[in-house]
Amino acid sequence: AVETVAPETQTKEVTYTKTITDTSKKQIEHPGRSPLPAHLRREETILEPANIPEGSKKIGEEVTEELEYTPPELFVKKYVRPKYIIPQSSVSVNAEIIIASMPIRPLEKAIAGPGLLAQVVIDKYVDHLPLYRQMQRFERARVKIAYSTISDWVSGTCKLISPLYEALKAEVLQSGYVHV
């Protein structure tokens, strides 16, 4: 018979101290969007509200900038929307403020205008220019755009044109030119 001998074990007590920081009190600040470069030409559009009651006072303005492209130039399209307070509500706590609506934009929170979005997608899919090369071209124009940002633009633009793709696909399949 073979006897097995259990190995001898030793035990040690180990203690340590762990410092825990309370993250609920401290909110991490997001650095936000980088400002658009000051060297680019600015094209300003002032959008006034449709009906400004007489006696309204201008109390400020909202400024929205988007990066736009017209071959061969990048420029900033600036929308200035003056804000007005309606006179009868100027003493009230809940004063009514009127401001013009922003024009419809292809990608709501993107800084890219429709011309730039079209150019990026055409360069990528028609001219086979990879995004990193497009980024290099923008950097030569002294405009730094993150890879994640430009790829989000491409993704968002492709989602916008997917109904066109589906309609074209249906038309081609219906015409009989393509045999599946």
Side-chain angles (χ1 to χ4, degrees):
V2 177
E3 287 188 30
T4 58
V5 178
E8 190 174 310
T9 59
Q10 295 180 351
T11 58
K12 290 183 182 179
E13 185 175 324
V14 178
T15 61
Y16 65 95
T17 305
K18 183 176 181 181
T19 306
I20 301 174
T21 57
D22 186 8
T23 57
S24 64
K25 292 180 185 175
K26 187 193 325 181
Q27 244 184 357
I28 298 171
E29 295 271 336
H30 186 277
R33 187 176 284 152
S34 300
L36 293 172
H39 71 276
L40 295 176
R41 175 177 67 85
R42 269 14 189 209
E43 184 180 286
E44 188 171 301
T45 304
I46 298 176
L47 305 170
E48 291 283 350
N51 299 315
I52 304 172
E54 193 172 319
S56 295
K57 295 181 182 180
K58 183 176 175 181
I59 58 169
E61 58 190 26
E62 295 264 334
V63 177
T64 304
E65 291 187 334
E66 69 182 15
L67 189 60
E68 188 54 283
Y69 181 80
T70 300
E73 175 194 30
L74 280 169
F75 65 96
V76 176
K77 198 169 190 179
K78 183 176 182 177
Y79 296 99
V80 178
R81 301 181 301 147
K83 293 183 192 179
Y84 295 91
I85 188 164
I86 297 179
Q88 54 270 46
S89 64
S90 61
V91 292
S92 137
V93 175
N94 297 326
E96 188 176 346
I97 297 173
I98 56 173
I99 187 169
S101 299
M102 279 291 292
I104 296 172
R105 300 168 69 189
L107 302 178
E108 197 56 41
K109 293 187 178 185
I111 62 168
L116 180 58
L117 293 171
Q119 190 63 47
V120 167
V121 170
I122 288 169
D123 283 350
K124 178 169 176 47
Y125 293 109
V126 177
D127 298 333
H128 307 290
L129 186 63
L131 294 180
Y132 78 92
R133 286 206 190 138
Q134 292 187 51
M135 290 169 54
Q136 290 170 345
R137 181 175 51 195
F138 293 137
E139 285 179 16
R140 283 193 301 273
R142 297 183 298 165
V143 177
K144 188 155 180 67
I145 301 172
Y147 184 83
S148 61
T149 300
I150 200 168
S151 63
D152 285 348
W153 293 350
V154 170
S155 173
T157 304
C158 289
K159 286 177 187 169
L160 286 174
I161 62 173
S162 64
L164 294 174
Y165 165 76
E166 293 299 330
L168 181 61
K169 181 175 145 184
E171 182 71 26
V172 169
L173 291 174
Q174 187 180 23
S175 69
Y177 290 120
V178 178
H179 298 288
V180 180

